Short mmCIF file of all heavy atoms in Angstrom, two decimals:
data_model
loop_
_atom_site.label_atom_id
_atom_site.label_comp_id
_atom_site.label_asym_id
_atom_site.label_seq_id
_atom_site.Cartn_x
_atom_site.Cartn_y
_atom_site.Cartn_z
N ARG A 201 -34.38 -98.77 -130.87
CA ARG A 201 -33.71 -97.50 -131.17
C ARG A 201 -34.50 -96.41 -130.46
O ARG A 201 -35.64 -96.14 -130.83
CB ARG A 201 -33.70 -97.22 -132.67
CG ARG A 201 -32.71 -98.02 -133.47
CD ARG A 201 -32.55 -97.41 -134.87
NE ARG A 201 -31.67 -98.20 -135.72
CZ ARG A 201 -32.11 -99.06 -136.64
NH1 ARG A 201 -33.40 -99.25 -136.81
NH2 ARG A 201 -31.25 -99.74 -137.38
N GLY A 202 -33.93 -95.82 -129.44
CA GLY A 202 -34.69 -94.88 -128.63
C GLY A 202 -35.89 -95.56 -128.02
O GLY A 202 -35.76 -96.63 -127.42
N ASN A 203 -37.08 -95.01 -128.22
CA ASN A 203 -38.29 -95.61 -127.68
C ASN A 203 -38.96 -96.57 -128.65
O ASN A 203 -40.03 -97.11 -128.36
CB ASN A 203 -39.29 -94.52 -127.29
CG ASN A 203 -38.83 -93.74 -126.07
OD1 ASN A 203 -38.26 -94.31 -125.15
ND2 ASN A 203 -39.06 -92.43 -126.08
N GLU A 204 -38.34 -96.78 -129.81
CA GLU A 204 -38.95 -97.64 -130.83
C GLU A 204 -38.43 -99.06 -130.71
O GLU A 204 -37.22 -99.31 -130.76
CB GLU A 204 -38.64 -97.09 -132.23
CG GLU A 204 -39.18 -97.97 -133.34
CD GLU A 204 -38.69 -97.53 -134.71
OE1 GLU A 204 -37.90 -96.56 -134.77
OE2 GLU A 204 -39.07 -98.17 -135.70
N LEU A 205 -39.35 -100.02 -130.57
CA LEU A 205 -38.97 -101.43 -130.57
C LEU A 205 -38.81 -101.89 -132.01
O LEU A 205 -39.75 -101.84 -132.80
CB LEU A 205 -40.04 -102.27 -129.87
CG LEU A 205 -39.81 -103.79 -129.86
CD1 LEU A 205 -38.57 -104.14 -129.03
CD2 LEU A 205 -41.04 -104.52 -129.32
N CYS A 206 -37.61 -102.33 -132.38
CA CYS A 206 -37.32 -102.76 -133.75
C CYS A 206 -37.50 -104.26 -133.93
O CYS A 206 -37.84 -104.72 -135.03
CB CYS A 206 -35.89 -102.39 -134.12
SG CYS A 206 -35.51 -100.63 -133.96
N TYR A 207 -37.26 -105.01 -132.86
CA TYR A 207 -37.27 -106.47 -133.01
C TYR A 207 -37.34 -107.11 -131.63
O TYR A 207 -36.77 -106.60 -130.67
CB TYR A 207 -36.00 -106.94 -133.73
CG TYR A 207 -35.88 -108.42 -133.92
CD1 TYR A 207 -36.52 -109.06 -134.98
CD2 TYR A 207 -35.13 -109.20 -133.05
CE1 TYR A 207 -36.41 -110.43 -135.16
CE2 TYR A 207 -35.00 -110.56 -133.23
CZ TYR A 207 -35.66 -111.18 -134.29
OH TYR A 207 -35.55 -112.53 -134.45
N ALA A 208 -38.07 -108.23 -131.53
CA ALA A 208 -38.10 -109.00 -130.29
C ALA A 208 -38.44 -110.45 -130.64
O ALA A 208 -39.33 -110.70 -131.45
CB ALA A 208 -39.14 -108.44 -129.32
N ASP A 209 -37.73 -111.38 -130.04
CA ASP A 209 -38.00 -112.79 -130.32
C ASP A 209 -37.37 -113.67 -129.25
O ASP A 209 -36.61 -113.19 -128.39
CB ASP A 209 -37.47 -113.18 -131.70
CG ASP A 209 -38.30 -114.29 -132.35
OD1 ASP A 209 -39.06 -114.97 -131.62
OD2 ASP A 209 -38.18 -114.47 -133.57
N VAL A 210 -37.69 -114.96 -129.33
CA VAL A 210 -37.20 -115.95 -128.38
C VAL A 210 -36.66 -117.13 -129.17
O VAL A 210 -37.27 -117.55 -130.17
CB VAL A 210 -38.34 -116.42 -127.44
CG1 VAL A 210 -37.82 -117.42 -126.42
CG2 VAL A 210 -38.98 -115.23 -126.75
N PHE A 211 -35.51 -117.68 -128.75
CA PHE A 211 -34.87 -118.78 -129.46
C PHE A 211 -34.41 -119.86 -128.48
O PHE A 211 -34.01 -119.52 -127.35
CB PHE A 211 -33.62 -118.28 -130.21
CG PHE A 211 -33.86 -117.17 -131.18
CD1 PHE A 211 -33.78 -115.85 -130.75
CD2 PHE A 211 -34.15 -117.43 -132.50
CE1 PHE A 211 -33.99 -114.81 -131.64
CE2 PHE A 211 -34.37 -116.39 -133.39
CZ PHE A 211 -34.28 -115.09 -132.97
N PRO A 212 -34.39 -121.12 -128.90
CA PRO A 212 -33.68 -122.12 -128.10
C PRO A 212 -32.18 -121.91 -128.25
O PRO A 212 -31.68 -121.69 -129.36
CB PRO A 212 -34.12 -123.46 -128.73
CG PRO A 212 -34.53 -123.10 -130.12
CD PRO A 212 -35.04 -121.69 -130.09
N ALA A 213 -31.46 -121.94 -127.15
CA ALA A 213 -30.00 -121.72 -127.20
C ALA A 213 -29.37 -122.40 -125.99
O ALA A 213 -29.26 -121.81 -124.92
CB ALA A 213 -29.66 -120.23 -127.23
N GLU A 214 -28.95 -123.62 -126.16
CA GLU A 214 -28.35 -124.37 -125.06
C GLU A 214 -26.90 -123.95 -124.82
O GLU A 214 -26.40 -124.04 -123.70
CB GLU A 214 -28.40 -125.87 -125.35
CG GLU A 214 -29.81 -126.46 -125.37
CD GLU A 214 -30.45 -126.49 -124.00
OE1 GLU A 214 -29.71 -126.39 -122.99
OE2 GLU A 214 -31.69 -126.61 -123.92
N LYS A 215 -26.22 -123.48 -125.87
CA LYS A 215 -24.79 -123.18 -125.76
C LYS A 215 -24.54 -121.68 -125.88
O LYS A 215 -25.29 -120.95 -126.52
CB LYS A 215 -24.02 -123.90 -126.88
CG LYS A 215 -24.15 -125.42 -126.82
CD LYS A 215 -23.40 -126.05 -127.98
CE LYS A 215 -23.53 -127.57 -127.97
NZ LYS A 215 -22.83 -128.20 -129.12
N ASP A 216 -23.45 -121.23 -125.25
CA ASP A 216 -23.06 -119.82 -125.33
C ASP A 216 -22.81 -119.41 -126.77
O ASP A 216 -23.17 -118.31 -127.19
CB ASP A 216 -21.79 -119.56 -124.51
CG ASP A 216 -21.96 -119.99 -123.05
OD1 ASP A 216 -23.09 -119.91 -122.55
OD2 ASP A 216 -20.95 -120.38 -122.44
N THR A 217 -22.20 -120.30 -127.55
CA THR A 217 -21.86 -119.96 -128.94
C THR A 217 -23.13 -119.73 -129.76
O THR A 217 -23.13 -118.90 -130.68
CB THR A 217 -21.03 -121.08 -129.58
OG1 THR A 217 -21.70 -122.34 -129.37
CG2 THR A 217 -19.65 -121.14 -128.96
N GLU A 218 -24.20 -120.45 -129.46
CA GLU A 218 -25.46 -120.24 -130.17
C GLU A 218 -26.00 -118.84 -129.92
O GLU A 218 -26.52 -118.19 -130.83
CB GLU A 218 -26.50 -121.28 -129.74
CG GLU A 218 -26.18 -122.69 -130.17
CD GLU A 218 -27.17 -123.71 -129.63
OE1 GLU A 218 -27.44 -123.69 -128.42
OE2 GLU A 218 -27.66 -124.52 -130.44
N ALA A 219 -25.87 -118.38 -128.69
CA ALA A 219 -26.34 -117.03 -128.36
C ALA A 219 -25.58 -115.99 -129.16
O ALA A 219 -26.17 -115.02 -129.66
CB ALA A 219 -26.16 -116.79 -126.86
N VAL A 220 -24.27 -116.17 -129.30
CA VAL A 220 -23.45 -115.21 -130.05
C VAL A 220 -23.85 -115.23 -131.53
O VAL A 220 -24.00 -114.16 -132.16
CB VAL A 220 -21.96 -115.54 -129.89
CG1 VAL A 220 -21.11 -114.64 -130.78
CG2 VAL A 220 -21.54 -115.40 -128.44
N LEU A 221 -24.07 -116.40 -132.10
CA LEU A 221 -24.46 -116.50 -133.51
C LEU A 221 -25.81 -115.84 -133.77
O LEU A 221 -25.99 -115.15 -134.78
CB LEU A 221 -24.50 -117.98 -133.93
CG LEU A 221 -23.15 -118.69 -134.04
CD1 LEU A 221 -23.36 -120.18 -134.26
CD2 LEU A 221 -22.33 -118.09 -135.18
N ILE A 222 -26.75 -116.04 -132.85
CA ILE A 222 -28.07 -115.43 -133.01
C ILE A 222 -27.99 -113.91 -132.96
O ILE A 222 -28.59 -113.21 -133.78
CB ILE A 222 -29.03 -115.97 -131.93
CG1 ILE A 222 -29.36 -117.45 -132.21
CG2 ILE A 222 -30.31 -115.15 -131.87
CD1 ILE A 222 -30.07 -118.14 -131.08
N ALA A 223 -27.23 -113.39 -131.99
CA ALA A 223 -27.07 -111.94 -131.89
C ALA A 223 -26.41 -111.37 -133.15
O ALA A 223 -26.84 -110.33 -133.68
CB ALA A 223 -26.23 -111.59 -130.66
N ASN A 224 -25.40 -112.05 -133.67
CA ASN A 224 -24.75 -111.60 -134.90
C ASN A 224 -25.73 -111.56 -136.06
O ASN A 224 -25.75 -110.60 -136.84
CB ASN A 224 -23.58 -112.53 -135.25
CG ASN A 224 -22.31 -112.19 -134.49
OD1 ASN A 224 -22.12 -111.06 -134.08
ND2 ASN A 224 -21.45 -113.17 -134.29
N ARG A 225 -26.54 -112.60 -136.17
CA ARG A 225 -27.48 -112.68 -137.29
C ARG A 225 -28.52 -111.54 -137.21
O ARG A 225 -28.85 -110.92 -138.22
CB ARG A 225 -28.19 -114.03 -137.29
CG ARG A 225 -29.08 -114.23 -138.51
CD ARG A 225 -29.56 -115.65 -138.64
NE ARG A 225 -30.54 -115.99 -137.63
CZ ARG A 225 -30.37 -116.91 -136.69
NH1 ARG A 225 -29.23 -117.58 -136.63
NH2 ARG A 225 -31.31 -117.17 -135.82
N ILE A 226 -29.00 -111.27 -136.00
CA ILE A 226 -29.99 -110.20 -135.83
C ILE A 226 -29.41 -108.85 -136.25
O ILE A 226 -30.01 -108.09 -137.00
CB ILE A 226 -30.46 -110.14 -134.37
CG1 ILE A 226 -31.29 -111.39 -134.04
CG2 ILE A 226 -31.29 -108.89 -134.10
CD1 ILE A 226 -31.58 -111.56 -132.56
N LEU A 227 -28.21 -108.55 -135.78
CA LEU A 227 -27.61 -107.25 -136.06
C LEU A 227 -27.18 -107.12 -137.53
O LEU A 227 -27.32 -106.05 -138.13
CB LEU A 227 -26.42 -107.02 -135.14
CG LEU A 227 -26.78 -106.91 -133.65
CD1 LEU A 227 -25.51 -106.83 -132.80
CD2 LEU A 227 -27.66 -105.70 -133.39
N GLU A 228 -26.68 -108.21 -138.12
CA GLU A 228 -26.24 -108.15 -139.51
C GLU A 228 -27.41 -108.02 -140.47
O GLU A 228 -27.37 -107.24 -141.42
CB GLU A 228 -25.41 -109.39 -139.85
CG GLU A 228 -24.03 -109.39 -139.20
CD GLU A 228 -23.30 -110.70 -139.43
OE1 GLU A 228 -23.88 -111.60 -140.09
OE2 GLU A 228 -22.16 -110.82 -138.94
N THR A 229 -28.49 -108.77 -140.24
CA THR A 229 -29.62 -108.73 -141.17
C THR A 229 -30.35 -107.40 -141.11
O THR A 229 -31.02 -107.01 -142.06
CB THR A 229 -30.61 -109.87 -140.88
OG1 THR A 229 -31.04 -109.80 -139.51
CG2 THR A 229 -29.97 -111.22 -141.14
#
Side-chain angles (χ1 to χ4, degrees):
R201 284 194 184 100
N203 290 322
E204 177 189 1
L205 177 66
C206 303
Y207 179 82
D209 210 343
V210 182
F211 303 89
E214 293 291 342
K215 299 178 181 178
D216 304 329
T217 51
E218 292 176 311
V220 175
L221 289 172
I222 290 169
N224 278 334
R225 186 169 71 243
I226 291 169
L227 295 174
E228 288 174 0
T229 56

